[in-house]
Amino acid sequence: MKSIELKELEKNLAEYHKDDKHKVLRHALVKNSLFDVVTNQDEIKDYDFNFSINIKTLLVTNQKQSGRCWIFAATNFLREIIAKNCEMSNFELSQSYIAFYDRLEKVNYTLEAIIELLDKDYDDRTLSFIVSNGIGDGGQWDMFVAVVNKYGLCPKNAFPETATSSGTRDTNSLINFNIRKFAAEAKSLYEKEGIKAVREAKEALLKKVYFLLVDAYGVPPEQFAFEYTDKDDKYHREEGFTPLSFKEKYIGDTLNEYVSIINAPTKDKPFNKTYTVQYLGNVVGAKEVTHLNVEMDRLKELVLSQLKDNTIVWFGSDVSFLGDRALGIWDDHRFDPYTPFGLDYKMDKGDSLDYRASQMNHAMCITGVNLVNEKPTKWKIENSWGSDVAKNGYYIMSDSWFDQFVYQAVVNVKYLNEKEKAALKEKPTILKPWDPMGSLAD
């Protein structure tokens, strides 16, 4: 390895002072953020909220200080179905209800994985990955489906938010510490007393976590009434629902009609094949998380087919890059760090996945698109960061940003061609636990 030479630094500094551009930048960065300084005004165009396909949707929601975007996006998708059937002008499903059981199931899933790996050393890569990750708020579409199919749904007023459900850092920290403590103790307990003692310890910890979640979120509803006012200001009330009967009446088997499609242009993932990720999930025994990998043009074609049928689209992307939250824009031309610094955010998409420069980390809903000569130029996005940002909580995504940073979308299986449907019936290739397609939206 070569160290930094002091003489080279002296040369670099001398060269730096010869260019007045750096003095201007240095002065500008005293009181301005880097991205304020490199905002590209020349590229501000087509940022108005006019779209050739613009699905009317309900008011935006707010995940607050939690990583539940995937739950918010999925319940936003489902509430449109319920609101349409009941002719409501606004409605929310309980995100807390889904999050409660997701966290409980994740703890069980993680503890079971640790038990499965009892014969591994503490620094085994798979065990280390599982213990390091612990449980968090994030998730994927199939994980949402797993929870809903097992536990059902309820309106938000049947299981409202608490301070803890909206700000999950402390409970996550406490739970994860105890998961790691269990991992540390389970191996010696197994060696001294056997697997029965390990399983007893696991069930004891799971019970304590359940009690903590009930303390933090409230007692999950066993029965509730569904009451609402429709668009004509007429009051309705239906008695005697359980979360599962509510789901059955208003959603039925709808969730099982939707599949995850991804765009992962890496050498290890040929297109038109399905993939799953080892140790990715929440509900033990549920359908495994499955992705159908397609080329980007095909992913857009499928998304457009669903939008044209007046149905919004759950999708996952990497929102770490090139976003202007004040204006509500994601556009890879919005900022220009290359001209002043010689540095940029341009990289082959496959390489960015392989070398961990980018991966899916946030889920939202696509609710509109602007088509010029049947080609998309911009997309309308329903986010879950509240209505005080962007355009009442709605965002614009440029089509070129979509190409680079959108990794996943969920579409109805009816839009797939026969080859794609056949691929879904094949046994998916199992990817390693740390594969970027196993990343969680939060």
Side-chain angles (χ1 to χ4, degrees):
M1 298 177 71
K2 183 179 181 298
S3 66
I4 294 175
E5 299 288 341
L6 296 180
K7 289 183 178 179
E8 285 299 315
L9 288 183
E10 291 174 4
K11 289 180 181 179
N12 289 345
L13 187 58
E15 182 180 339
Y16 175 91
H17 284 304
K18 288 179 181 179
D19 190 343
D20 286 342
K21 172 187 74 173
H22 295 296
K23 182 183 290 186
V24 174
L25 287 168
R26 194 167 67 251
H27 292 172
L29 288 168
V30 169
K31 290 191 175 182
N32 298 278
S33 73
L34 187 147
F35 284 102
D36 284 340
V37 170
V38 301
T39 298
N40 187 0
Q41 187 75 10
D42 299 339
E43 295 294 336
I44 295 182
K45 58 184 179 181
D46 203 22
Y47 286 168
D48 59 89
F49 275 78
N50 293 314
F51 299 89
S52 56
I53 298 176
N54 192 357
I55 299 172
K56 187 176 181 181
T57 47
L58 305 179
L59 299 176
V60 297
T61 53
N62 193 339
Q63 68 188 81
K64 298 185 178 178
Q65 286 74 47
S66 72
R68 299 174 292 162
C69 65
W70 60 292
I71 295 174
F72 274 73
T75 52
N76 286 347
F77 171 81
L78 291 182
R79 70 174 177 159
E80 297 292 341
I81 298 171
I82 299 171
K84 182 179 180 180
N85 289 339
C86 297
E87 298 186 326
M88 290 184 283
S89 57
N90 200 30
F91 174 65
E92 276 192 65
L93 289 162
S94 173
Q95 302 91 359
S96 276
Y97 181 79
I98 305 299
F100 177 98
Y101 284 111
D102 169 66
R103 295 178 86 188
L104 182 65
E105 289 284 353
K106 277 177 181 164
V107 173
N108 181 66
Y109 193 101
T110 303
L111 295 178
E112 286 294 324
I114 290 169
I115 292 172
E116 190 172 291
L117 297 168
L118 278 174
D119 62 330
K120 304 295 183 182
D121 291 332
Y122 76 93
D123 60 350
D124 172 80
R125 185 172 182 184
T126 299
L127 178 60
S128 179
F129 178 84
I130 290 169
V131 172
S132 296
N133 277 5
I135 66 110
D137 297 344
Q140 295 227 9
W141 172 263
D142 284 336
M143 294 164 67
F144 176 82
V145 175
V147 172
V148 173
N149 282 342
K150 184 171 181 178
Y151 295 101
L153 295 161
C154 65
K156 192 159 191 167
N157 61 7
F159 197 61
E161 294 284 319
T162 68
T164 307
S165 70
S166 299
T168 55
R169 182 182 63 182
D170 292 343
T171 49
N172 281 346
S173 174
L174 183 59
I175 290 169
N176 281 324
F177 185 90
N178 281 273
I179 286 175
R180 290 159 190 153
K181 182 180 178 181
F182 172 83
E185 296 174 347
K187 192 174 182 70
S188 61
L189 187 62
Y190 174 67
E191 292 171 350
K192 293 176 182 178
E193 301 183 39
I195 190 64
K196 183 180 178 182
V198 174
R199 291 217 159 268
E200 288 174 351
K202 176 240 173 178
E203 293 302 325
L205 175 55
L206 192 62
K207 182 187 290 186
K208 291 176 183 178
V209 170
Y210 176 76
F211 289 168
L212 169 65
L213 293 177
V214 175
D215 289 340
Y217 285 73
V219 179
E222 297 181 54
Q223 281 200 335
F224 57 89
F226 178 36
E227 54 182 4
Y228 63 93
T229 303
D230 65 24
K231 294 177 181 177
D232 296 325
D233 211 29
K234 182 180 178 181
Y235 173 79
H236 301 261
R237 181 181 175 91
E238 298 178 63
E239 301 277 358
F241 278 113
T242 68
L244 280 170
S245 67
F246 182 81
K247 176 258 181 184
E248 186 60 33
K249 177 172 182 176
Y250 287 102
I251 299 300
D253 200 42
T254 297
L255 284 173
N256 297 324
E257 299 172 3
Y258 286 81
V259 296
S260 167
I261 56 175
I262 60 171
N263 177 244
T266 53
K267 292 179 181 179
D268 65 328
K269 300 180 187 70
F271 292 122
N272 298 312
K273 300 288 185 182
T274 55
Y275 302 89
T276 189
V277 180
Q278 190 180 25
Y279 293 115
L280 174 64
N282 52 359
V283 178
V284 173
K287 174 184 172 291
E288 59 192 354
V289 175
T290 304
H291 304 303
L292 172 64
N293 195 21
V294 298
E295 296 187 65
M296 178 52 76
D297 286 347
R298 180 59 177 156
L299 187 145
K300 288 182 181 178
E301 185 180 357
L302 291 166
V303 168
L304 286 171
S305 294
Q306 188 157 305
L307 292 175
K308 288 177 180 179
D309 279 350
N310 203 43
T311 302
I312 65 175
V313 178
W314 186 104
F315 80 107
S317 62
D318 185 351
V319 297
S320 306
F321 301 102
L322 306 171
D324 186 327
R325 291 201 182 193
L327 288 180
I329 296 164
W330 280 291
D331 187 345
D332 51 318
H333 297 106
R334 175 62 175 153
F335 303 99
D336 177 22
Y338 184 80
T339 297
F341 306 119
L343 302 168
D344 59 30
Y345 287 102
K346 296 178 181 178
M347 189 175 181
D348 176 81
K349 191 173 185 179
D351 288 343
S352 72
L353 287 168
D354 284 340
Y355 289 91
R356 303 304 191 267
S358 176
Q359 62 184 22
M360 187 269 288
N361 57 27
H362 189 54
M364 301 175 284
C365 289
I366 301 174
T367 66
V369 62
N370 196 55
L371 299 175
V372 177
N373 298 322
E374 285 302 304
K375 297 292 184 183
T377 62
K378 60 183 177 181
W379 305 78
K380 184 182 178 184
I381 308 302
E382 178 185 12
N383 204 350
S384 54
W385 292 345
S387 59
D388 294 334
V389 291
K391 181 77 168 179
N392 298 318
Y394 286 84
Y395 290 69
I396 288 175
M397 177 170 56
S398 74
D399 189 59
S400 55
W401 192 94
F402 190 116
D403 288 337
Q404 184 66 29
F405 297 112
V406 169
Y407 292 103
Q408 181 183 14
V410 171
V411 298
N412 195 300
V413 71
K414 68 183 179 181
Y415 300 115
L416 302 183
N417 60 36
E418 292 307 312
K419 184 178 180 180
E420 292 160 346
K421 290 177 182 178
L424 286 174
K425 296 178 182 179
E426 296 175 359
K427 188 174 179 61
T429 298
I430 301 174
L431 304 172
K432 294 175 181 177
W434 43 85
D435 190 275
M437 286 302 107
S439 63
L440 302 180
D442 60 11

